[in-house]
């Protein structure tokens, strides 16, 4: 820190003025309004001294910076001190820099700090001050030896101010070691400036002290700036290096190459870094076992490596090293520390497994399977229960037939030899096997051979066996047309001991068609039925059981190969073909022959019939290839079904006639044909089926029923007195627009209303009569009083009212006819009279319909039915439906005998 000049000094005042002027001139172009803050001479740390309006200068500022690190500016313009400041001059200044990082625009605010100080009398002229060549108020290098033994207080240095020549100066210090922890380690004499240390200091705890020295006059004036004094503690080698661990553990594989890294150790030293006190050196003090020396350590890095490739886990699996670290670069007077390092030798597969014996002998009875016959052991020096130790056994020679297998026992590591396929003493009495063994892990040693081998001799022991069916499947060839009773050789089994078939009995266990008989003594087969090669696809298998005198058996199969003879003619499999006349003129037919190809195609196709027959005039056959021909019609035949006989002959003259059904259909593809089953012969005659005949009979019967009903109705109407209607009745009713022809007179009745035909009259059953009249397509229904004449005079209005049914939209309307007066004896009632008369009676009938026979509410009464269209075949619904199904069937009793059966069927309900 540079020393401060007294405020009375002319040169100091001149310098400050020049600096202020220069600053103002330099930043006049882009500087905002200068701000003046009045502050005391001493400013404490983190003290608020004032606020500057930053928004007034630069609203969009994003970065705020102070040119003097002693002051900190916040975003709201508050100015704080960063540490304690002593202002020695009357005016000081610093600049606040405002900038926008996006627009790169910058503004500056000059801040002036002013305070009042007491002017001291000058003792020397300005010329004398200007002649000074050196100042003593400056930082002085200072250090204290660590762990110094004194004597205390220990003089360190003297601080002096040049102003002591003119003024009375008092010296003082502050900071850590003075008025902060650790307190009272340093002090300064007030009058002389001598700096002392009061106790020994540990550098590892306090590496340096930063003090602040002050020079003041008795009245409090500070002629000098505060002076920073740095007191460094000189290091002493008082800390020995320390390993990061007291014991290290590393692993390395055996037989590793020289220079293989084993591990690295590390130590720390608390003394001053980058000095001789912390320059460490590592070394191995001792190895156990001592010989041979196998490891080395890098002196600077502490890395342990192998110095020999003779590491053998089978000899020594662990080494222990005593290591040392020493500071002072390993010099004898350096401080040192030791530690233990354990190195474990990891196993590799450098030892082959070896059999304990070079040859083994075992025995097994013939025909035994899944039996253990031998266990072999091996020796392996590698680590137990690892892949380097576990053995894999294989059979190298002698097991070509697959009779043996060898596996490893995971518990004992032994090889277990087993028989998995039965041995035959008669074929081989002794088997010699060569077995080998390797480890699971690949071998990494130096031996050229990686497999150890041994020999196993297996003696097969004889057993008294039953008959042997060998081969199990035997065949015999027989022509399929041989006569019944033909004998031929059959199945043969033999005794494996004598290789003879003597004494062996035979019987069949399976003969699906019952075609053969097996002689129990010789096995010869006799044909019992005619053989058919085509039925069994050329081979007929029967199962045979052979047994000896002791009841021991074996099973075999006798395959009878049926040799083909030309006993089948070619046949057309697809016997029904469809010809779509609109797009096709022919159809292709294909024939097959169940016999062997030598008795098969090429085929000859021909139509069966004489030269002048209808078949030849209507159809023609054209050969396509050896197995197919094309059938086409010659004339413009009618649609229908035709039967065409086709003869197909094979190459040897064997033939067969197939009745081919040909359907001529009006379609595009055969699948679209919907031809009804009406048959035609080859000459075009129509053949009616039974269902067509039945439909015709039912139609005739229904026609007779309708005629009989009409005759009965006309007779009944003739017996009634004819009713008289006014002449203008036709003009008083609506004309049904969709009637295309006059209708027939009809008479029909309901439970409570009667409908009459034109020209007839009747009385209603329930007191109300209805008249329905049809005349030339005109229809009307009239309600009149029961028990009187049908047409009565209307005494009030003279108008004729009718209940009409309008067929437009399915609605019913009641309308007045606009006709003139009726020229009859009586007139119809008015609408109001008719309504008054019928309403209570209709309500009564509705109430009755609402109840069933037990006077309970009917379940299907007043149901809502949607309109489904005209012409519904369904009758009435609900409890009010008409019950007339039994009426009108009496005419069936008077029909002829041909229809009696039909009448009985109709009467059954």
């Amino acid at each position: 820190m540079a020393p401060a000049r007294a405020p009375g000094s002319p040169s100091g005042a001149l310098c400050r003025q020049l600096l202020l002027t220069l600053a103002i001139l330099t930043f006049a172009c882009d500087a905002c309004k200068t701000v003046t803050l009045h502050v005391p001479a001493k400013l404490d740390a983190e003290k608020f001294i004032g606020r500057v309006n930053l928004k007034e200068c630069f609203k969009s500022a994003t970065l705020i910076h102070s040119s003097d690190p002693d002051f900190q500016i916040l975003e709201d313009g508050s100015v704080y001190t960063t540490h304690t400041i002593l202002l020695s001059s009357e005016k000081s200044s610093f600049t606040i820099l405002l900038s926008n990082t996006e627009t790169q625009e910058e503004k500056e605010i000059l801040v002036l700090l002013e305070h009042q100080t007491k002017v001291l009398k000058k003792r020397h002229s300005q010329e004398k001050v200007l002649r000074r060549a050196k100042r003593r108020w400056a930082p002085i290098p200072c250090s204290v030896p660590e762990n110094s033994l004194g004597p205390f207080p220990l003089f360190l240095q003297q601080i002096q101010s040049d102003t002591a020549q003119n003024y009375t100066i008092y010296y003082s210090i502050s900071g850590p070691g003075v008025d902060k922890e650790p307190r009272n380690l340093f002090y300064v004499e007030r009058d002389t400036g001598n700096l002392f240390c009061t106790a020994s200091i540990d550098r590892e705890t306090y590496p340096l002290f930063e003090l602040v020295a002050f020079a003041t006059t008795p009245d409090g004036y500070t002629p000098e700036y505060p002076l920073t004094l740095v007191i460094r503690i000189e290091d002493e080698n008082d800390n020995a290096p320390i390993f990061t661990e007291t014991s290290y553990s590393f692993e390395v594989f055996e037989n590793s190459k020289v220079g293989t890294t084993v591990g690295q150790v590390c130590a720390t030293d608390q003394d001053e870094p980058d000095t001789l006190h912390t320059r460490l050196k590592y070394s191995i003090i001792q190895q156990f076992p001592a010989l041979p020396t196998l490891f080395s350590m890098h002196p600077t890095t502490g890395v342990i490596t192998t110095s020999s490739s003779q590491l053998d886990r089978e000899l020594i699996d662990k080494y222990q090293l005593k290591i040392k670290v020493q500071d002072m670069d390993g010099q004898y007077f350096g401080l040192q520390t030791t530690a233990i390092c354990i190195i474990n030798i990891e196993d590799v597969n450098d030892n082959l497994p070896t059999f304990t014996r070079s040859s083994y002998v075992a025995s097994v009875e013939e025909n035994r399977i899944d039996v253990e016959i031998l266990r072999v052991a091996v020796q392996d020096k590698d680590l137990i229960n690892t892949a380097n130790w576990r053995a894999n056994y294989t059979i190298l020679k002698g097991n070509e037939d697959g009779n043996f297998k060898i596996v490893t026992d995971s518990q004992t590591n032994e090889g277990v030899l087993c028989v998995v396929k039965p041995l035959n003493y008669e074929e081989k009495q002794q088997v010699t096997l060569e077995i080998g063994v390797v480890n699971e892990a690949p071998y990494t040693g130096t031996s050229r051979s990686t497999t150890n081998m041994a020999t196993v001799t297996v003696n097969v022991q004889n057993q008294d066996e039953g008959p042997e069916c060998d081969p199990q499947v035997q065949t015999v060839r027989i022509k399929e047309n041989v006569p019944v009773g033909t004998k031929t050789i059959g199945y043969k089994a033999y005794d494996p001991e004598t290789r003879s078939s003597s004494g062996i009995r035979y019987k069949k266990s399976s003969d699906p068609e019952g075609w053969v008989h097996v002689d129990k003594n010789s096995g010869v087969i006799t044909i019992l039925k005619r053989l058919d090669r085509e039925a069994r696809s050329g081979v007929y298998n029967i199962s045979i059981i052979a047994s000896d005198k002791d009841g021991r058996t074996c099973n075999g199969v006798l395959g009878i190969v049926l040799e083909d003879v030309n006993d089948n003619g070619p046949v057309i499999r697809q016997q029904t073909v469809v010809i779509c006349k609109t797009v096709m003129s022919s159809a292709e037919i294909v024939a097959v022959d169940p016999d062997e190809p030598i008795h098969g195609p090429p085929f000859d196709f021909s139509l069966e019939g004489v030269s002048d027959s209808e078949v030849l005039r209507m159809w023609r056959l054209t050969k396509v290839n050896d197995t197919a021909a094309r059938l086409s019609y010659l004339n413009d035949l009618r649609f229908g079904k035709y039967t065409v006989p086709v003869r197909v002959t094979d190459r040897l003259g064997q033939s067969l006639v197939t009745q081919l059904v040909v359907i001529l259909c009006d379609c595009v593809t055969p699948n679209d044909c919907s031809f009804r089953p009406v048959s035609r012969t080859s000459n075009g005659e129509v053949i009616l089926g039974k269902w067509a005949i039945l439909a015709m009979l039912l139609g005739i019967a229904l026609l007779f029923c309708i005629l009989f009903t009409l005759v009965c109705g006309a007779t009944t109407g003739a017996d009634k007195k004819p009713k008289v209607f006014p002449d203008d009745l036709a003009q008083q009713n609506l004309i049904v627009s969709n009637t295309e022809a006059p209708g027939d007179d009809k008479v029909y009745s309901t439970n409570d209303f009667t409908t009459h035909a034109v020209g007839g009259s009747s009385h209603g059953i329930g007191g109300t009569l209805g008249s329905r009249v049809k005349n030339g397509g005109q229809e009307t229904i009239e309600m009149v009083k029961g028990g009187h004449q049908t047409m009565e005079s209307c005494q009030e209005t003279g108008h004729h009212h009718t209940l009409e049914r309008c067929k437009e939209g399915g609605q019913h309307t009641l309308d007045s006819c606009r006709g003139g007066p009726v020229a009859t004896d009586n007139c119809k009632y008015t609408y109001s009279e008719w309504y008054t008369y019928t309403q209570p009676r209709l309500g009564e009938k509705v109430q009755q319909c609402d109840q069933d026979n037990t006077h309970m509410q009917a379940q299907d009464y007043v149901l809502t039915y949607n309109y489904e269209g005209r012409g519904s075949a369904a009758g009435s619904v609900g409890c009010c439906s008409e019950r007339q199904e039994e009426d009108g069937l009496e005419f069936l009793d008077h029909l002829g005998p041909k229809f009696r059966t039909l009448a009985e069927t109709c009467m059954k309900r």
Side-chain angles (χ1 to χ4, degrees):
M1 178 176 181
R5 296 183 180 271
S9 174
S11 60
L14 181 60
C15 290
R16 286 193 300 272
Q17 188 65 30
L18 291 174
L19 291 174
L20 180 60
T21 303
L22 180 61
I24 294 175
L25 292 175
T26 303
F27 304 105
C29 58
D30 56 355
C32 295
K33 182 179 179 181
T34 303
V35 178
T36 302
L37 301 177
H38 297 279
V39 296
K42 181 179 180 181
L43 300 176
D44 295 330
E46 299 180 356
K47 181 178 180 180
F48 174 75
I49 62 174
R51 182 174 282 106
V52 179
N53 191 348
L54 303 179
K55 298 295 182 182
E56 181 181 0
C57 177
F58 196 5
K59 292 183 179 181
S60 61
T62 58
L63 186 62
I64 304 173
H65 179 67
S66 174
S67 63
D68 192 341
D70 294 338
F71 300 96
Q72 179 183 6
I73 314 300
L74 303 183
E75 292 183 358
D76 61 350
S78 299
V79 182
Y80 286 86
T81 58
T82 58
H83 54 270
T84 302
I85 301 174
L86 294 176
L87 300 177
S88 58
S89 59
E90 295 181 359
K91 291 185 178 181
S92 298
S93 65
F94 66 92
T95 303
I96 300 176
L97 303 177
L98 304 177
S99 61
N100 189 312
T101 56
E102 295 181 358
T103 62
Q104 303 297 326
E105 186 179 358
E106 296 183 354
K107 294 291 183 67
E108 296 180 354
I109 301 176
L110 181 63
V111 180
L112 299 179
L113 303 178
E114 294 185 356
H115 65 92
Q116 299 293 332
T117 57
K118 186 176 181 180
V119 181
L120 301 177
K121 294 182 179 181
K122 298 181 181 180
R123 298 183 180 180
H124 300 280
S125 63
Q126 182 177 356
E127 290 77 11
K128 184 176 181 181
V129 175
L130 292 177
R131 286 196 299 266
R132 290 180 56 88
K134 183 178 181 181
R135 288 177 50 83
R136 291 182 294 174
W137 188 253
I140 303 174
C142 182
S143 63
V144 178
E146 180 185 13
N147 302 323
S148 175
L149 300 179
F152 298 103
L154 179 64
F155 174 78
L156 299 181
Q157 68 173 6
Q158 182 182 20
I159 55 175
Q160 288 183 331
S161 173
D162 295 337
T163 59
Q165 300 177 7
N166 302 323
Y167 311 103
T168 300
I169 298 299
Y170 292 159
Y171 299 98
S172 61
I173 58 175
S174 66
V178 181
D179 50 1
K180 296 180 181 179
E181 292 296 336
R183 297 178 182 272
N184 302 322
L185 274 179
F186 304 97
Y187 73 90
V188 65
E189 292 181 347
R190 188 186 67 171
D191 296 328
T192 63
N194 292 331
L195 182 63
F196 294 91
C197 178
T198 62
S200 60
I201 303 172
D202 185 10
R203 192 208 65 84
E204 286 69 40
T205 306
Y206 303 104
L208 60 86
F209 293 90
E210 188 173 306
L211 307 180
V212 180
F214 303 95
T216 60
T217 59
D219 57 358
Y221 172 69
T222 305
E224 300 283 3
Y225 290 110
L227 180 63
T228 300
L229 298 178
V230 177
I231 302 176
R232 190 176 62 86
I233 308 303
E234 296 180 357
D235 183 45
E236 182 184 14
N237 191 20
D238 56 345
N239 292 282
I242 300 175
F243 282 105
T244 56
E245 297 180 20
T246 58
S247 177
Y248 294 89
S249 180
F250 301 112
E251 293 79 26
V252 64
F253 285 104
E254 62 177 329
N255 301 327
S256 296
K257 297 180 180 180
V258 176
T260 302
T261 300
V262 178
Q264 183 178 14
V265 298
C266 185
T268 60
D269 196 324
Q270 296 183 0
D271 289 328
E272 186 174 1
D274 301 325
T275 64
L276 201 59
H277 298 162
T278 55
R279 189 173 299 172
L280 307 180
K281 182 167 288 188
Y282 301 90
S283 60
I284 299 175
I285 302 176
Q286 186 180 10
Q287 172 185 305
F288 181 81
L291 296 175
T293 302
L294 301 175
F295 306 97
S296 62
M297 176 178 284
H298 194 281
T300 303
T301 61
V303 175
I304 302 175
T305 57
T306 56
S307 59
S308 174
S309 59
Q310 299 179 5
L311 291 174
D312 191 350
R313 190 206 62 84
E314 288 71 36
L315 297 178
I316 301 174
D317 61 353
K318 182 171 64 176
Y319 291 88
Q320 179 174 306
L321 304 180
K322 185 176 181 181
I323 57 177
K324 178 187 71 171
V325 60
Q326 188 173 17
D327 60 14
M328 302 300 291
D329 201 19
Q331 299 185 44
Y332 69 93
F333 51 82
L335 302 179
Q336 63 181 11
T337 302
T338 60
I340 298 299
C341 180
I342 297 175
I343 300 177
N344 296 306
I345 309 302
E346 295 292 321
D347 183 49
V348 297
N349 190 20
D350 58 342
N351 292 278
L352 289 172
T354 57
F355 288 103
T356 56
R357 297 167 55 185
S358 60
S359 62
Y360 300 88
V361 177
S363 61
V364 62
E365 294 180 351
E366 63 175 335
N367 302 322
R368 293 287 302 275
I369 60 172
D370 296 330
V371 58
E372 176 185 324
I373 62 174
L374 180 66
R375 280 181 173 260
V376 295
V378 293
Q379 293 180 344
D380 196 325
K381 298 179 181 179
D382 291 321
L383 188 61
I384 296 177
N385 294 326
T386 63
N388 301 327
W389 174 80
R390 287 188 290 268
N392 280 341
Y393 298 90
T394 55
I395 301 176
L396 303 177
K397 292 182 182 179
N399 193 33
E400 289 76 11
D401 296 332
N403 299 98
F404 303 93
K405 124 178 135 170
I406 188 168
V407 295
T408 303
D409 188 331
S410 60
Q411 301 297 326
T412 62
N413 208 33
E414 293 177 325
V416 180
L417 183 63
C418 304
V419 177
V420 295
K421 184 178 178 181
L423 296 167
N424 193 338
Y425 175 81
E426 287 71 27
E427 294 180 357
K428 192 177 293 185
Q429 292 78 33
Q430 188 179 79
V431 180
T432 301
L433 304 176
E434 187 176 288
I435 59 176
V437 61
V438 295
N439 291 123
E440 290 183 1
Y443 177 67
T444 60
T446 58
S447 176
R448 293 184 178 180
S449 176
T450 59
T451 303
N452 188 254
M453 293 176 291
T455 301
V456 179
T457 301
V458 180
N459 296 316
V460 181
Q461 298 177 353
N462 187 27
Q463 281 186 330
D464 189 10
E465 304 171 276
E468 184 173 325
C469 296
D470 187 26
Q472 187 177 9
V473 179
Q474 301 177 17
T475 59
V476 59
R477 305 184 69 88
I478 304 177
K479 290 186 177 296
E480 62 174 328
N481 61 347
V482 296
V484 175
T486 302
K487 294 184 179 182
T488 183
I489 58 174
Y491 195 87
K492 288 296 180 181
Y494 61 91
D495 187 344
E497 308 293 337
T498 62
R499 308 302 295 178
S500 172
S501 299
S502 177
I504 296 179
R505 301 292 182 265
Y506 303 91
K507 67 177 181 178
K508 63 178 182 179
S509 61
S510 174
D511 183 6
E513 303 292 343
W515 283 352
V516 298
H517 170 266
V518 178
D519 185 81
K520 66 178 181 178
N521 295 319
S522 62
V524 173
I525 61 174
T526 303
I527 306 302
L528 299 179
K529 297 180 181 179
R530 180 180 177 276
L531 304 179
D532 188 359
R533 186 196 69 86
E534 290 72 28
R536 305 302 296 183
S537 301
V539 178
Y540 181 65
N541 293 325
I542 60 174
S543 299
I544 303 296
I545 299 177
S547 60
D548 60 6
K549 60 181 179 179
D550 296 327
R552 292 171 293 192
T553 63
C554 69
N555 297 319
V557 176
L558 179 62
I560 301 175
V561 180
L562 300 173
E563 297 181 351
D564 184 45
V565 295
N566 193 16
D567 57 346
N568 293 281
V571 62
I572 300 174
R573 295 287 175 84
Q574 184 179 355
Q575 297 185 4
T576 301
V577 295
V578 178
I579 299 177
C580 296
K581 288 189 62 177
T582 57
V583 294
M584 300 167 56
S585 61
S586 63
E588 185 175 297
I589 57 177
V590 179
V592 294
D593 194 331
D595 293 328
E596 291 286 345
I598 192 174
H599 301 141
F603 299 142
D604 181 36
F605 295 85
S606 63
L607 295 174
E608 184 70 10
V610 296
S611 59
D612 58 346
S613 64
E614 291 291 334
V615 175
L616 299 179
R617 289 197 298 268
M618 296 170 59
W619 305 96
R620 182 178 62 187
L621 274 175
T622 304
K623 188 173 182 180
V624 176
N625 52 36
D626 290 346
T627 60
R630 187 173 302 279
L631 177 66
S632 57
Y633 56 88
L634 297 178
N635 302 318
D636 188 11
L637 301 180
R638 289 175 295 176
F639 294 112
K641 183 187 293 185
Y642 301 86
T643 302
V644 180
V646 178
R647 177 180 295 276
V648 185
T649 307
D650 62 18
R651 67 166 62 186
L652 298 181
Q654 186 74 21
S655 65
L656 182 67
V657 176
T658 302
Q659 298 297 326
L660 190 65
V661 178
V662 182
I663 298 175
L664 293 181
C665 188
D666 185 10
C667 58
V668 178
T669 62
N671 294 331
D672 298 336
C673 183
S674 58
F675 183 75
R676 289 184 176 86
V678 177
S679 301
R680 294 178 183 269
T681 61
S682 60
N683 56 5
E685 296 180 355
V686 179
I687 302 176
L688 296 180
K690 59 181 181 180
W691 295 108
I693 298 174
L694 180 61
M696 294 175 63
L697 293 177
L698 291 176
I700 295 172
L702 182 60
L703 179 61
F704 274 101
C705 290
I706 295 173
L707 294 175
F708 184 77
T709 303
L710 295 177
V711 171
C712 292
T715 303
T716 304
D719 297 337
K720 304 294 181 178
K721 182 179 180 179
K723 296 178 65 69
V724 180
F725 294 92
D727 296 336
D728 61 346
L729 181 63
Q731 284 75 23
Q732 298 178 11
N733 296 277
L734 294 176
I735 297 175
V736 181
S737 62
N738 62 349
T739 302
E740 299 179 359
D744 297 332
D745 296 340
K746 295 185 292 184
V747 177
Y748 57 92
S749 63
T750 61
N751 292 335
D752 294 311
F753 298 98
T754 301
T755 304
H756 305 276
V758 176
S761 64
S762 176
H763 294 288
I765 298 175
T768 304
L769 294 178
S771 175
R772 177 168 181 169
V773 181
K774 296 186 68 177
N775 185 10
Q778 301 174 2
E779 180 177 339
T780 156
I781 299 176
E782 300 176 349
M783 304 304 299
V784 298
K785 294 176 60 179
H788 301 281
Q789 293 182 0
T790 304
M791 307 300 295
E792 296 180 358
S793 61
C794 181
Q795 299 179 3
E796 294 182 1
T797 61
H799 291 83
H800 176 57
H801 299 276
T802 62
L803 178 67
E804 300 177 347
R805 181 179 66 181
C806 180
K807 293 186 178 181
E808 294 180 4
Q811 300 177 352
H812 294 76
T813 62
L814 183 65
D815 195 7
S816 297
C817 295
R818 294 178 175 85
V822 181
T824 58
D825 297 337
N826 297 311
C827 186
K828 300 177 183 178
Y829 285 98
T830 62
Y831 173 77
S832 61
E833 292 176 346
W834 175 82
Y835 184 85
T836 304
Y837 179 79
T838 60
Q839 183 64 21
R841 288 163 176 76
L842 289 176
E844 180 182 358
K845 297 308 295 180
V846 170
Q847 180 66 24
Q848 292 177 0
C849 286
D850 191 19
Q851 299 177 357
D852 56 13
N853 295 333
T854 60
H855 301 286
M856 300 299 292
Q857 295 292 325
Q859 298 297 325
D860 59 343
Y861 179 65
V862 190
L863 301 179
T864 302
Y865 296 91
N866 291 332
Y867 174 72
E868 298 181 355
R870 302 175 183 175
S872 174
S876 302
V877 295
C879 61
C880 296
S881 300
E882 294 182 348
R883 307 287 183 177
Q884 299 184 11
E885 290 82 1
E886 299 292 337
D887 299 339
L889 299 178
E890 295 81 6
F891 72 96
L892 296 175
D893 298 332
H894 307 290
L895 297 176
K898 293 183 179 180
F899 299 95
R900 187 174 302 280
T901 303
L902 178 62
E904 291 175 357
T905 303
C906 295
M907 291 298 294
K908 293 180 181 179
R909 302 187 58 85

